């Protein structure tokens, strides 16, 4: 048995900001994927995945039936028979490993499921987001539901605000352009929950809330608009500002050994770094107007290009 593939995602803009109603833009990233599987002779990883699925299934029994009803008997029988999630998506890297799993479970076991083939009205998208938020909270303590939504639909998602999301198109990639969005591997596994809890503590301070609104959200919203319009000049100017704000106010989310590298990008304009997901490790997202220059400046690190301008 092997189910359909669900892809990883990248939140290009909106990390932390979307908790406070900034805009956001999330795109599928087909380099990594996962699927539900059963094997005759499961590996140690498969058995570990199966164990965590058992806990997830128990948790799902508490999700309100008014929100979603699952074929629980079938799901339990499959998990007891050894079903697991076979995934190439790195965990703790900010590219949506739990989101893909949630999408796969919903796709296979939800009754009256909303499918990508129907007319995806805003109400349907919000309902899916609410279902996925309830499901994914098992993994993160609190989830927006956006990662599974992206993985399930495999479409770019534009977040205008908490209650206003839409599937969107993004500008076609340029195969000859030198500009790029890339992932930089920090080599450290990040944990989402502690990072979110640092952010929530900071939100108790008026100064931090003001900075979030006047600087972080302002530049995040501008980046989303620039990216969708294809205004590259303005995009890089706003990304630079965003990178500075993150370095000044989100230091705990940036692994210590990357503070200098982060600043070097801003000072030299060779690249600008930003958080990919909650930070604390995993991938760091980079933007550059010249990928050769960025690769040269970051030659000691593994870069993966995810989008070309």
């Amino acid at each position: 048995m092997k189910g359909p593939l669900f892809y990883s995602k990248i939140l290009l803009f909106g990390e932390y900001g979307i908790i406070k109603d900034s805009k956001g833009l999330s795109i599928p990233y087909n380099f990594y994927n996962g699927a539900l599987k059963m094997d005759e002779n499961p590996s140690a990883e498969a058995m570990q995945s199966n164990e965590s699925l058992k806990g997830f299934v128990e948790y799902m029994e508490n999700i309100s039936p008014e929100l979603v009803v699952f074929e629980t008997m079938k799901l339990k029988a499959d998990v007891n028979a050894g079903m697991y999630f076979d995934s190439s998506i790195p965990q703790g890297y900010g590219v949506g490993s739990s989101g893909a799993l949630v999408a796969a479970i919903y796709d296979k076991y939800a009754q009256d499921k909303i499918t990508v083939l129907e007319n995806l009205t805003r109400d349907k998208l919000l309902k899916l987001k609410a279902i996925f938020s309830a499901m994914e909270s098992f993994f993160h303590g609190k989830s927006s539901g956006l990662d599974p939504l992206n993985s399930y639909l495999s479409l770019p998602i534009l977040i205008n605000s908490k209650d206003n999301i839409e599937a969107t198109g993004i500008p076609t990639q340029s195969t000859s352009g030198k500009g790029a969005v890339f992932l930089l591997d920090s080599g450290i596994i990040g944990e989402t929950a502690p990072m979110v809890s640092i952010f929530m503590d900071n939100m108790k301070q008026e100064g931090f809330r003001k900075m979030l609104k006047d600087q972080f959200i302002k530049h995040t919203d501008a980046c989303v608009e620039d990216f969708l319009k294809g205004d590259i000049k303005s995009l890089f100017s706003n990304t630079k500002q965003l990178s500075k704000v993150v370095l000044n106010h989100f230091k705990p989310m940036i692994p210590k050994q990357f503070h200098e590298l982060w600043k070097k990008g801003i000072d030299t304009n060779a690249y600008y770094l930003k958080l990919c997901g909650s930070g604390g490790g995993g991938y760091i997202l980079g933007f550059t107007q010249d990928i050769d220059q960025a690769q040269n400046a970051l030659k000691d690190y593994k870069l993966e290009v995810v989008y070309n301008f």
Side-chain angles (χ1 to χ4, degrees):
M1 171 199 132
K2 187 170 185 351
L5 288 178
F6 289 91
Y7 297 109
S8 52
K9 63 81 217 182
I10 294 171
L11 185 63
L12 281 183
F13 302 104
E15 70 292 340
Y16 292 106
I18 53 175
I19 298 176
K20 290 291 154 206
D21 257 4
S22 78
K23 283 185 185 291
L25 182 64
S26 180
I27 60 170
Y29 182 43
N30 299 356
F31 189 74
Y32 296 119
N33 57 56
L36 293 168
K37 270 178 90 170
M38 262 190 222
D39 288 343
E40 292 283 307
N41 301 305
S43 65
E45 286 92 358
M47 285 155 81
Q48 195 182 347
S49 165
N50 174 259
E51 272 308 307
S52 71
L53 271 182
K54 285 178 183 165
F56 185 39
V57 170
E58 266 181 45
Y59 166 85
M60 277 168 48
E61 289 190 78
N62 299 319
I63 293 175
S64 162
E66 284 170 20
L67 191 59
V68 60
V69 176
F70 292 99
E71 293 172 21
T72 315
M73 300 301 281
K74 183 167 176 258
L75 173 56
K76 276 187 170 164
D78 286 349
V79 170
N80 288 334
M83 183 176 76
Y84 68 100
F85 191 59
D86 182 26
S87 168
S88 65
I89 308 169
Q91 291 188 356
Y93 262 67
V95 286
S97 55
S98 59
L101 165 59
V102 165
I105 295 278
Y106 175 83
D107 179 64
K108 190 167 168 60
Y109 298 100
Q111 294 181 5
D112 303 322
K113 68 180 182 186
I114 296 167
T115 75
V116 70
L117 300 172
E118 46 195 280
N119 176 15
L120 288 168
T121 60
R122 186 180 295 173
D123 286 349
K124 284 179 183 170
L125 284 171
L126 286 173
K127 173 140 199 221
L128 271 175
K129 184 174 173 284
I131 291 167
F132 291 147
S133 167
M135 290 173 73
E136 202 186 26
S137 293
F138 171 75
F139 299 98
H140 294 321
K142 186 180 190 325
S143 157
S144 68
L146 280 166
D147 287 7
L149 185 65
N150 201 293
S151 190
Y152 182 63
L153 300 176
S154 220
L155 293 167
I157 305 282
L158 169 62
I159 302 110
N160 292 303
S161 66
K162 274 200 188 77
D163 304 321
N164 181 351
I165 54 174
E166 56 188 298
T168 188
I170 56 174
T172 311
Q173 296 200 49
S174 153
T175 43
S176 56
K178 289 194 118 184
V181 181
F182 59 86
L183 293 174
L184 185 157
D185 188 346
S186 74
I188 307 158
I189 290 176
E191 290 279 339
T192 300
M195 295 295 126
V196 173
S197 120
I198 291 170
F199 174 78
M200 289 312 202
D201 273 353
N202 287 343
M203 284 299 290
K204 292 172 189 165
Q205 301 158 25
E206 195 188 333
F208 186 85
R209 290 198 302 273
K210 189 171 178 342
M211 172 281 302
L212 198 76
K213 181 167 158 286
D214 297 347
Q215 297 175 47
F216 188 79
I217 289 178
K218 183 182 118 182
H219 294 304
T220 295
D221 287 359
C223 284
V224 171
E225 284 161 27
D226 291 341
F227 187 90
L228 291 176
K229 280 195 308 224
D231 186 341
I232 304 306
K233 190 167 179 248
S234 180
L235 173 68
F236 278 97
S237 156
N238 279 305
T239 305
K240 180 176 185 175
Q241 295 308 317
L242 194 55
S243 186
K244 276 186 192 168
V245 172
V246 173
L247 184 61
N248 292 333
H249 300 282
F250 288 77
K251 271 229 168 73
M253 287 75 167
I254 305 170
K256 276 202 176 59
Q257 59 271 48
F258 290 94
H259 290 183
E260 271 309 304
L261 206 64
W262 201 286
K263 188 173 181 307
K264 187 178 140 195
I266 294 165
D267 292 345
T268 61
N269 295 312
Y271 56 85
Y272 305 128
L273 299 179
K274 64 182 291 296
L275 297 173
C276 178
S278 55
Y283 285 120
I284 293 168
L285 206 48
F287 287 73
T288 180
Q289 284 173 290
D290 184 340
I291 188 61
D292 298 334
Q293 188 188 6
Q295 275 170 327
N296 190 34
L298 299 165
K299 58 181 182 296
D300 299 335
Y301 299 89
K302 204 173 95 195
L303 304 190
E304 281 171 38
V305 173
V306 298
Y307 188 93
N308 289 99
F309 295 109

